[in-house]
Structure formats: structure tokens, C-alpha cells
């Protein structure tokens, strides 16, 4: 943010006096960055902006980057990275990916009401609705419980205005409604009218 401010401070000036005033404010920074130059023309402004960008993007991080490379060289890791760049790319370069069920599970934490309360019983109904079990078995679920979403344009949406569950595969299917209130009404109705085992 400060970097953008420094660039903007110089980029929009159209005369030498304004440039000199802006330069005076950042005199210490410019001297430390090695970007201090005398302003004689607007061309000097462009060169100053280039110097600041070069300092911020290249020179400022060059020392730490070289120390990082030296550390990787110590155990031969840098050589392996250079030999197999595709294998190491996910460790050093962010790539957006499709959200998996495991990632989704790790994003949320379940906060249940105290055991024995009426609220807790209602909350456990969702587990029973999706899996047919009111508690998590000691060996866990197989297959792992999953969530599917049903869209308005899907063929079976009319019959699935309510949440559905297939307890054989531990899957809950949630319809996407236009409002949270409508979704909640349909979900509450489905949970309140589910009895027995199998497809709810």
C-alpha cells in the first residue's frame, strides 16, 4: 500500500515544483533506496518512478532471496528443484484449484449445543437425516458423508424442493432456493417429517 502511495505521489505531477515537494517528503526513503535524483524535467519523474519500482520489486528482495537459495543449496534441495521444477511448483507457486470435500470439511467447524439439550437433539437430526445414524460410528462413516447441491434447472428439482438424503451413501442433497428463508422452511419441514431408514 505504501509502495503504491509512493508511486502515485510522483506519477501524477505535471510540473517540477510539485515533483521537488514530493521528493522532499520522501527524501530518506529515496536516499536509502538509491533512487535520489535531481528533478530537472518530467522525464526525470518517469526515471524516478522506474527506479522506485526496480528497488521495491527487485533490489529490496534480492538479498533475502539469495539467502533463501543458499539455504536450499545446503542440503542439495535447490539442485533438485532445478532438476524437477514441475514437481516443486505446487510448493512455491499458488494455483487455484477446485474445492474438494476434504478442504470444505476443514473450512468449517461444527459447534453443537450442549449434550442433552433440545437444541442438540435437533442438530443431531441433520446427521440422522443424511446418514441414518444419530452418532458418528467408532470406525467413522464409509463412505464419507457428502453434500450435493440441486439447481433449479435440474430435471428433478421440482420433486426436490426439499432437501433429500440417501443414507446408503451418506449423501445429503440440498436444493438452492432464491432466499435463505425459503431454504430454511423447506429444510425444517424435511427434517421434521423424516422417519425411518433409507431415502428421506
Amino acid at each position: 500500500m505504501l509502495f503504491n502511495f509512493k508511486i502515485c505521489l510522483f506519477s501524477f505531477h505535471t510540473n517540477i515544483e510539485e515533483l521537488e515537494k514530493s521528493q522532499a517528503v520522501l527524501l530518506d526513503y529515496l536516499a536509502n533506496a538509491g533512487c535520489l535524483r535531481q528533478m530537472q524535467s518530467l522525464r526525470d519523474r518517469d526515471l524516478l518512478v522506474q527506479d522506485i519500482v526496480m528497488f521495491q520489486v527487485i533490489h529490496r528482495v534480492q538479498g533475502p532471496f539469495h539467502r533463501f537459495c543458499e539455504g536450499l543449496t545446503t542440503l542439495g534441495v535447490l539442485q533438485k528443484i532445478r532438476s524437477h521444477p514441475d514437481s516443486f511448483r505446487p510448493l512455491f507457486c499458488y494455483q487455484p484449484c477446485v474445492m474438494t470435500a476434504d478442504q470444505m470439511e476443514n473450512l468449517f467447524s461444527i459447534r453443537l449445543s450442549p449434550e442433552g439439550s433440545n437444541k442438540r437433539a435437533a442438530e443431531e437430526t441433520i446427521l440422522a437425516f443424511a446418514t441414518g445414524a444419530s452418532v458418528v460410528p467408532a470406525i467413522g462413516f464409509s463412505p464419507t458423508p457428502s453434500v450435493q447441491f440441486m439447481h433449479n434447472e435440474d430435471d428433478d428439482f421440482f420433486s426436490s424442493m426439499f432437501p433429500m438424503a440417501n443414507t446408503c451413501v451418506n449423501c445429503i442433497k440440498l436444493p438452492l432456493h432464491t432466499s435463505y428463508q425459503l431454504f430454511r422452511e423447506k429444510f425444517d419441514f424435511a427434517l421434521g417429517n423424516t422417519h425411518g431408514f433409507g431415502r428421506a
Side-chain angles (χ1 to χ4, degrees), residues 49-74:
V49 168
Q50 286 177 1
D51 289 345
I52 293 171
V53 169
M54 192 67 144
F55 170 74
Q56 285 291 127
V57 176
I58 305 291
H59 301 303
R60 189 176 60 89
V61 296
Q62 199 168 27
F65 179 72
H66 284 304
R67 285 192 297 280
F68 177 67
C69 290
E70 288 170 6
L72 291 175
T73 304
T74 304

Side-chain angles (χ1 to χ4, degrees), residues 36-131:
L36 199 54
R37 65 171 58 236
Q38 189 162 352
M39 295 287 126
Q40 296 177 344
S41 69
L42 291 179
R43 169 107 175 96
D44 291 329
R45 172 198 65 187
D46 298 337
L47 293 173
L48 178 62
V49 168
Q50 286 177 1
D51 289 345
I52 293 171
V53 169
M54 192 67 144
F55 170 74
Q56 285 291 127
V57 176
I58 305 291
H59 301 303
R60 189 176 60 89
V61 296
Q62 199 168 27
F65 179 72
H66 284 304
R67 285 192 297 280
F68 177 67
C69 290
E70 288 170 6
L72 291 175
T73 304
T74 304
L75 297 174
V77 176
L78 185 60
Q79 178 57 36
K80 296 294 182 190
I81 291 171
R82 287 182 174 152
S83 300
H84 309 284
D86 291 336
S87 298
F88 286 91
R89 186 168 284 114
L91 295 174
F92 295 102
C93 302
Y94 171 76
Q95 287 185 318
C97 59
V98 176
M99 181 76 70
T100 66
D102 288 337
Q103 291 169 326
M104 187 72 151
E105 181 181 0
N106 292 334
L107 284 176
F108 297 96
S109 61
I110 300 171
R111 291 187 226 144
L112 296 171
S113 300
E115 279 193 51
S117 68
N118 290 340
K119 288 182 180 180
R120 177 68 174 258
E123 293 162 356
E124 289 171 348
T125 304
I126 295 173
L127 179 65
F129 179 78
T131 66

